[in-house]
Amino acid sequence: MVLDPMITNWTLVPRGNKDAMWGLLSTTFVLPKGTTDKIKYYAMKMLGESFRRWKSHLNTKYIQKGRTPFSEFGDITPAQWEEFVRQKTTKEL
């Protein structure tokens, strides 16, 4: 699952996407009884950090080098990429 890089912040990722990620994690691993809430909290925190690192990776490896990520991240559409590039290259006043 590749998230939309145009999402500016992890808190803005739709709940359905986060629930789908948690569903994949929780069916992949056997969780000890009584730990689900703590593990889910930590997993969501780690997913948020991974999202930020991924967007930073897109910026440094692709935008700053004038490349596109379509061969590595085929789920990103050209429209999403154009908006992401605009977000990263537009100077805010």
Side-chain angles (χ1 to χ4, degrees):
M1 168 186 292
V2 174
L3 290 176
D4 183 346
M6 295 186 316
I7 299 171
T8 57
N9 188 308
W10 174 250
T11 59
L12 301 176
V13 172
R15 172 62 43 203
N17 290 45
K18 291 179 181 179
D19 290 342
M21 288 182 232
W22 171 246
L24 287 170
L25 284 172
S26 63
T27 57
T28 303
F29 299 100
V30 177
L31 306 177
K33 279 188 172 184
T35 62
T36 302
D37 290 341
K38 287 182 181 181
I39 292 173
K40 184 175 182 178
Y41 172 81
Y42 184 75
M44 289 296 136
K45 181 178 172 181
M46 292 293 96
L47 286 167
E49 290 177 17
S50 294
F51 181 63
R52 285 186 293 279
R53 276 193 307 273
W54 175 65
K55 288 180 60 159
S56 177
H57 169 78
L58 288 175
N59 187 14
T60 57
K61 185 174 179 182
Y62 297 100
I63 294 174
Q64 292 179 13
K65 294 181 180 179
R67 299 170 56 206
T68 60
F70 303 123
S71 62
E72 187 175 351
F73 300 102
D75 290 342
I76 297 174
T77 67
Q80 290 172 328
W81 182 247
E82 286 177 30
E83 176 60 22
F84 182 66
V85 170
R86 187 196 63 73
Q87 288 175 2
K88 295 299 181 186
T89 57
T90 301
K91 296 192 189 268
E92 294 187 30
L93 300 176

